[in-house]
Amino acid sequence: MYLEYLGLREKPFAITSDPAFLYLSKKHREALAHMVYGIRERKGFIEITGDIGTGKTTICKALLRQLDGSTKTALVLQSGLSELQLLYAVVKDFGLNPMTANRLNLFEQLNQFLLDEAAIGHNIVLIIDEAQNLSLRVLEQIRMLSNLETDKEKLIQIILVGQPQLREKLARPALEQLRQRIGVRYHIGPLDAEEVTTYIHHRLRIAGSDGTVQWTAEAAQEVYRCSKGTPRLINQICDRSLLACYVYRTTRVDRELVRRSFQELQGQVVGA
Ligand SMILES: Nc1ncnc2c1ncn2[C@@H]1O[C@H](COP(=O)(O)OP(=O)(O)O)[C@@H](O)[C@H]1O
Ligand SMILES: [Mg+2]
């Protein structure tokens, strides 16, 4: 372990998404703002896309922490669910006890829950992560969920989060009706060069760095070049670089060290 050698309290670039490390770049702030707006304005469907590792799940979790008690949320993470499994997961995640494993009954139970919550002024939010994997049938069922409404307003806001293929999927003629209901869209792009530098120093600071690690400006630029600004890849490259520091007995991360770490990482991926 390199922690002690480098004067760190914990790993700055772990691959798990720990909210303590959240860094709100311009894109992440905007994604969050779009979701909050869609929920508050009851826009029905909200679509959030981004490539793998750009921070979609991280931002969903940040959203959940930000909403107050008047918003009831459910987050469905699994993909590849059948219609029944999805309904079951949704009912459970809203904190209800699924009465049966019957589709219509579950639907009815959910409907009642939505009406009850609406009656006391609550807004309901369902977030479906990795939504690009949902089948057309399940997506169609999700649209049916959004049909639940009173005369005045939508009872449930549904946030579909997924890789860019989600957008392509929703473009299919069979999903025309769902697509028409998407009131808010946002695509999370990669971090720019400056943000990558800030991101690296932000994570080092949260990890309790005592200043032993010296990450040069050129090294940060090299991380940007190699990762193209994708947080997941940034974490992998930076973690490797810190390990390399320990191995080569240095506390200085320079361009060459990052370059070599990235190459090793690629070799590992190819060889895996
Ligand atoms: N805004 C952010 N602040 C801090 N870490 C982030 C941020 N966005 C992404 N990460 C990190 O990058 C990695 C991938 O993020 P994740 O949310 O799982 O991406 P996605 O869901 O888009 O594939 C995680 O380790 C996460 O901690
Ligand atoms: Mg994710």
Side-chain angles (χ1 to χ4, degrees), residues 44 84 114 128 162 164-165 225 262:
L84 183 62
L114 295 180
I128 302 185
Q165 302 91 287
R225 208 182 59 79
F262 179 57

Side-chain angles (χ1 to χ4, degrees), residues 1-13 21 200-201 203-213 215 238-239 242-243 245:
M1 263 317 242
Y2 55 67
L3 293 184
E4 201 181 331
Y5 177 71
L6 294 174
L8 295 163
R9 208 172 40 229
E10 57 185 312
K11 285 181 98 178
F13 303 103
F21 283 91
I200 293 171
H201 291 293
R203 279 192 168 263
L204 284 169
R205 193 173 56 245
I206 306 288
S209 173
D210 64 3
T212 303
V213 177
W215 207 291
C238 292
D239 185 61
L242 291 180
L243 181 64
C245 278

Side-chain angles (χ1 to χ4, degrees), residues 34-35 37-46 123 154 156-158 180-184:
H34 276 75
M35 293 194 271
Y37 167 80
I39 293 168
R40 199 185 305 134
E41 300 298 319
R42 300 189 180 237
K43 289 291 183 184
F45 276 99
I46 300 164
N123 194 351
K154 290 246 169 285
I156 186 166
Q157 321 313 315
I158 301 176
Q180 283 177 0
R181 297 202 192 166
I182 297 176
V184 178

Side-chain angles (χ1 to χ4, degrees), residues 56-209:
K56 300 182 294 299
T57 302
T58 303
I59 289 305
C60 289
K61 291 184 177 165
L63 173 73
L64 291 181
R65 282 193 309 278
Q66 185 172 318
L67 297 171
D68 64 23
S70 69
T71 308
K72 292 277 171 224
T73 54
L75 171 65
V76 179
L77 270 168
Q78 311 96 313
S79 53
L81 300 179
S82 71
E83 294 154 274
L84 183 62
Q85 287 168 329
L86 178 90
L87 261 182
Y88 202 86
V90 170
V91 167
K92 264 194 100 108
D93 214 83
F94 274 126
L96 303 171
N97 198 0
M99 290 184 308
T100 59
N102 172 293
R103 208 168 73 95
L104 281 179
N105 290 348
L106 286 173
F107 222 90
E108 183 48 41
Q109 189 177 6
L110 202 52
N111 197 5
Q112 194 53 52
F113 167 72
L114 295 180
L115 288 169
D116 292 346
E117 292 293 323
I120 49 172
H122 286 171
N123 194 351
I124 315 286
V125 178
L126 169 61
I127 306 174
I128 302 185
D129 200 359
E130 300 289 354
Q132 79 281 348
N133 291 329
L134 296 173
S135 68
L136 296 186
R137 280 177 70 136
V138 172
L139 280 165
E140 185 54 19
Q141 169 166 288
I142 290 170
R143 183 183 68 80
M144 307 270 284
L145 276 181
S146 80
N147 280 347
L148 306 174
E149 57 190 354
T150 62
D151 300 339
K152 278 185 281 157
E153 56 193 8
K154 290 246 169 285
L155 295 180
I156 186 166
Q157 321 313 315
I158 301 176
I159 310 184
L160 297 176
V161 182
Q163 291 166 30
Q165 302 91 287
L166 172 64
R167 171 79 62 100
E168 291 161 32
K169 197 166 236 177
L170 294 174
R172 301 204 192 159
L175 295 171
E176 172 71 27
Q177 296 201 54
L178 197 166
R179 189 170 60 255
Q180 283 177 0
R181 297 202 192 166
I182 297 176
V184 178
R185 283 201 173 85
Y186 190 78
H187 180 77
I188 304 180
L191 304 184
D192 64 28
E194 210 175 301
E195 287 172 327
V196 170
T197 303
T198 313
Y199 179 92
I200 293 171
H201 291 293
H202 172 80
R203 279 192 168 263
L204 284 169
R205 193 173 56 245
I206 306 288
S209 173

Side-chain angles (χ1 to χ4, degrees), residues 14-18 21-25 28 50-59 129-130 199 202-203 231-232 235:
I15 207 69
T16 52
S17 80
D18 180 343
F21 283 91
L22 182 68
Y23 162 65
L24 287 178
S25 70
H28 293 121
D51 282 312
I52 296 177
T54 46
K56 300 182 294 299
T57 302
T58 303
I59 289 305
D129 200 359
E130 300 289 354
Y199 179 92
H202 172 80
R203 279 192 168 263
R232 188 168 80 149
N235 280 15

